[in-house]
Amino acid sequence: MAPSRSFTWSRRIFLTLLTGFVLIPVYVMISSSLKPLADVTGKFRWLPSGLTIRPYIDIWSTVPLARYFVNSLIVAGAATVCSVVIAVFAAYAVSRYEFRGKRVFTVTVLSTQMFPGILFLLPLFLLYVNIGNATGIALFGSRGGLILTYLTFSLPFSIWMLIGYFDSVPRDLDEAALVDGCGPLGALLRIVVPAAIPGIVAVAVYAFMTAWGEVLFASVMTNDTTRTLAVGLQGYSTLNNVYWNQIMAASLVVSVPVVAGFLLLQRYLVAGLTAGAVK
Amino acid sequence: MTTTAFKDPVREASPGAATRERRRTGRIRRAGLPYLLLLPALVLELLVHLVPMVIGIIMSFKELTQFYIRDWGTAPWSGFSNYKVSVDFNAPVGNALLHSFFVTVGFTLLSVGLCWLIGTAAAVFMQDSFRGRGLLRALFLVPYALPVYAAVITWVFMFQHDNGLVNHVLHDQLHLTGKPSFWLIGDNSFYALLTVSVWKGWPFAFLIVMAGLQNIPRELYEAAALDGAGTWQQIRRITLPSLRPVNQVLVLVLFLWTFNDFNTPYVLFGRSAPDAADLISVHIYQASFVTWNFGTGSAMSVLLLLFLLVVTGTYLLVTSRGRRASDG
């Protein structure tokens, strides 16, 4: 049956307004990144007085953007890979085995989701400094410390989602693999993981985005050489001038890889959420 | 978000004594395996969440100022004095914390409510296919995909007093305000924060509800249409009730994320937020790192955690989803 007229009209109006709300900041980001400095320091204009790609050239020299970019890439990439691998193992254990302490584990992992990040910030900072003093392993100020921190941020959600996803993979499949002589790891890697790819991709996207966008820990736990984009972008404001066109250009450069990857993988994300999280 | 029963009835009832025997020995041999698989996750959770939490609780009972930060173990014990300061609502510190708490509660309720409403409406409107649906869906996910700092810094630019879009539209173009307003200081900052938070947060609700909608069997709608139910009636009688379990989880997650959000206010306002938008995370950050009183900051964090535990516990008990979760 075709939807009613009142429904189609409500839909048109609602979706039009929402599109405007969503797109205006995106438009501002793109258009301002192509404006000369005079345009962004004076009254706001919808259209640039002249297009220039100058901001895209200057962003790399005003602050060491390339270095921040590489730092972010290393930190977020490593955190994602580690978090996905660890979550796959943990979720497989919870999904396929009965063992003492299973409930305690799941409840504890889930409850860390509710803790405010601010609660961990200072203790973690002190802990990393102490570990560094005691063992010589530099965690504070290093990329390693940040990777370690970030991968635990996405871990609870990843484990949670993958448990649901693995539960939806028929047990007979990996049982059969076990009977046929696969070890438990073989069954996991050859049967369960391939069948759960959408869930795993969804979890990886989530982990990467969490790490790429984190501000609080990045601002406290990095130094000049390990600074990530989240902190580095603040460098475009000087005492004399705020280079808004460069800030917008840098924001765009920083966003494009994540947004593109996200949009490419969004189908997986919805599929992953459907099976893993929304059952 | 899921906590279905972990036991598989099919396997439980599987026939064949030989198979069962083989399985049992296999089970014994692999008894340590689940723990081995969990080990990395356990170690990390311990190191990065549980140990710091214990340290945080210990710190909240210490007189921890910048003088002791290098060797925090030697800071003198102060009993409950950090807590007393935090909850003494007649004194400046406690009073500011209470104010920040109420701002955060109000902000969170409004933001979660709006995110849920917009996300659900968008998902329901886009449940059936129409031309351009795929494109719209991709566009709507952009705010969620954008890194927080890049997105929020764009809003900072838009909220600028002299060269921002918001004042240009409201004052210069629509003549709604007598003179250009300040958005990032003063009372307006609450609305600025709310706008950004909703803009960033609603696509997550959209995503989850969209996923939830895919689990509603088409036959339900067909049956309802045969019985003469119109589009709106179908939404009210089928879609919304079917979404209830999804919504219960969604609202809880949105609540926790919004309540604890640090990134948005920090990028929007910097290290100290204006009074009207003084969210609790930034408030505690400021109490710890700007005024250098880590003991009091820790006590505030612990109080915040207790509050969240009580709220979440109550919520889980009240919702049926939670009851099932705790049985799992």
Side-chain angles (χ1 to χ4, degrees):
Chain A
M1 198 178 78
S4 63
R5 276 174 67 88
S6 68
F7 179 81
T8 20
W9 273 105
S10 315
R11 174 161 77 189
R12 261 173 223 158
I13 296 168
F14 178 82
L15 292 181
T16 309
L17 289 175
L18 194 57
T19 309
F21 180 51
V22 167
L23 283 189
I24 285 176
V26 178
Y27 172 77
V28 169
M29 193 194 274
I30 297 171
S31 67
S32 306
S33 73
L34 295 165
K35 289 175 179 177
L37 188 62
D39 266 19
V40 288
T41 47
K43 270 242 165 298
F44 179 83
R45 347 169 26 124
W46 284 98
L47 296 171
S49 63
L51 288 178
T52 166
I53 56 157
R54 197 73 227 163
Y56 284 91
I57 298 164
D58 293 340
I59 48 174
W60 306 97
S61 50
T62 313
V63 305
L65 189 67
R67 190 166 72 211
Y68 301 154
F69 211 98
V70 171
N71 284 337
S72 278
L73 215 55
I74 293 174
V75 170
T80 305
V81 172
C82 297
S83 132
V84 168
V85 171
I86 293 169
V88 162
F89 287 142
Y92 181 65
V94 173
S95 168
R96 291 303 199 252
Y97 292 96
E98 288 299 332
F99 56 90
R100 200 187 285 270
K102 181 152 112 174
R103 253 181 71 183
V104 177
F105 174 76
T106 41
V107 171
T108 313
V109 164
L110 284 191
S111 51
T112 57
Q113 275 283 74
M114 84 171 77
F115 300 158
I118 190 78
L119 178 71
F120 304 119
L121 180 64
L122 186 65
L124 208 54
F125 160 73
L126 295 176
L127 188 67
Y128 283 3
V129 170
N130 284 358
I131 290 178
N133 289 343
T135 65
I137 304 170
L139 287 173
F140 178 72
S142 73
R143 296 192 197 104
L146 215 54
I147 293 171
L148 201 62
T149 317
Y150 285 174
L151 83 90
T152 58
F153 285 165
S154 44
L155 208 50
F157 183 77
S158 306
I159 295 176
W160 194 9
M161 245 183 80
L162 286 180
I163 293 173
Y165 216 93
F166 288 172
D167 279 348
S168 74
V169 176
R171 235 167 246 265
D172 296 347
L173 287 179
D174 48 312
E175 295 270 316
L178 286 177
V179 171
D180 287 347
C182 257
L185 283 184
L188 169 65
L189 295 179
R190 289 188 198 183
I191 309 290
V192 182
V193 166
I197 282 295
I200 293 172
V201 172
V203 161
V205 171
Y206 175 78
F208 190 85
M209 280 173 41
T210 311
W212 193 259
E214 206 280 333
V215 177
L216 173 59
F217 286 79
S219 67
V220 175
M221 296 224 187
T222 54
N223 58 32
D224 282 347
T225 50
T226 56
R227 195 153 292 161
T228 60
L229 290 167
V231 195
L233 279 196
Q234 288 162 5
Y236 292 101
S237 313
T238 61
L239 278 179
N240 305 319
N241 234 329
V242 183
Y243 297 98
W244 280 114
N245 51 353
Q246 289 190 41
I247 295 178
M248 294 297 115
S251 300
L252 204 72
V253 168
V254 165
S255 305
V256 162
V258 206
V259 175
F262 183 85
L263 293 184
L264 281 176
L265 298 171
Q266 52 135 332
R267 274 176 200 290
Y268 283 106
L269 201 69
V270 177
L273 285 169
T274 315
V278 194
K279 268 204 320 212
Chain B
M1 286 173 218
T2 178
T3 34
T4 44
F6 293 111
K7 293 188 196 71
D8 187 344
V10 177
R11 189 175 57 171
E12 230 77 318
S14 76
T19 331
R20 213 175 301 138
E21 192 52 41
R22 190 169 59 220
R23 274 206 189 126
R24 189 171 305 138
T25 50
R27 185 69 32 88
I28 292 163
R29 194 152 36 83
R30 297 201 303 262
L33 184 69
Y35 297 106
L36 205 63
L37 290 170
L38 285 181
L39 195 65
L42 269 176
V43 170
L44 282 168
E45 288 292 327
L46 271 176
L47 179 67
V48 181
H49 284 139
L50 296 181
V51 172
M53 209 166 77
V54 173
I55 298 179
I57 293 171
I58 296 173
M59 277 165 50
S60 69
F61 292 103
K62 290 210 163 203
E63 195 181 297
L64 200 61
T65 51
Q66 72 267 43
F67 306 112
Y68 297 104
I69 208 66
R70 286 207 167 273
D71 197 3
W72 64 279
T74 60
W77 290 94
S78 62
F80 280 94
S81 74
N82 287 322
Y83 289 90
K84 285 199 190 109
V85 170
S86 304
V87 296
D88 181 3
F89 300 136
N90 294 317
V93 175
N95 190 275
L97 182 67
L98 187 69
H99 170 80
S100 163
F101 174 76
F102 282 128
V103 167
T104 312
V105 170
F107 163 77
T108 306
L109 293 179
L110 277 173
S111 174
V112 171
L114 286 169
C115 284
W116 177 81
L117 203 66
I118 299 176
T120 305
V124 168
F125 276 133
M126 290 168 68
Q127 191 179 8
D128 299 308
S129 64
F130 54 87
R131 204 137 47 95
R133 184 176 71 147
L135 178 71
L136 264 195
R137 182 165 90 165
L139 280 183
F140 285 172
L141 293 176
V142 167
Y144 181 67
L146 279 171
V148 181
Y149 46 88
V152 177
I153 223 166
T154 309
W155 280 99
V156 173
F157 179 47
M158 287 162 61
F159 281 127
Q160 290 298 301
H161 181 258
D162 296 322
N163 52 348
L165 169 142
V166 176
N167 275 342
H168 179 65
V169 171
L170 292 183
H171 179 256
D172 304 347
Q173 295 191 314
L174 300 175
H175 308 290
L176 287 175
T177 47
K179 55 175 192 265
S181 324
F182 285 97
W183 291 102
L184 299 177
I185 52 174
D187 289 346
N188 286 333
S189 56
F190 182 83
Y191 301 103
L193 180 63
L194 186 63
T195 309
V196 179
S197 172
V198 172
W199 182 83
K200 246 205 91 48
W202 78 266
F204 180 73
F206 173 62
L207 204 60
I208 296 284
V209 174
M210 223 165 30
L213 288 178
Q214 298 192 350
N215 289 338
I216 306 176
R218 294 305 309 172
E219 299 85 57
L220 282 181
Y221 293 103
E222 282 157 20
L226 276 181
D227 288 344
T231 318
W232 293 110
Q233 243 179 332
Q234 289 176 20
I235 291 172
R236 221 182 55 228
R237 307 259 178 199
I238 300 174
T239 314
L240 293 181
S242 307
L243 283 176
R244 187 166 298 153
V246 173
N247 278 335
Q248 285 172 354
V249 177
L250 171 64
V251 166
L252 180 64
V253 172
L254 276 179
F255 170 81
L256 291 173
W257 284 353
T258 315
F259 203 94
N260 293 329
D261 190 15
F262 176 89
N263 296 337
T264 312
Y266 184 76
V267 180
L268 203 55
F269 305 117
R271 297 177 125 220
S272 46
D275 271 353
D278 190 21
L279 293 195
I280 202 119
S281 285
V282 180
H283 188 85
I284 294 175
Y285 178 89
Q286 208 204 354
S288 315
F289 284 87
V290 181
T291 56
W292 294 98
N293 201 333
F294 296 106
T296 318
S298 301
M300 290 175 178
S301 305
V302 174
L303 289 173
L304 172 61
L305 180 63
L306 288 177
F307 170 76
L308 291 173
L309 280 173
V310 170
V311 171
T312 312
T314 316
Y315 185 86
L316 287 178
L317 281 178
V318 171
T319 60
S320 57
R321 180 90 175 184
R323 272 201 296 282
R324 256 188 292 137
S326 53
D327 291 342

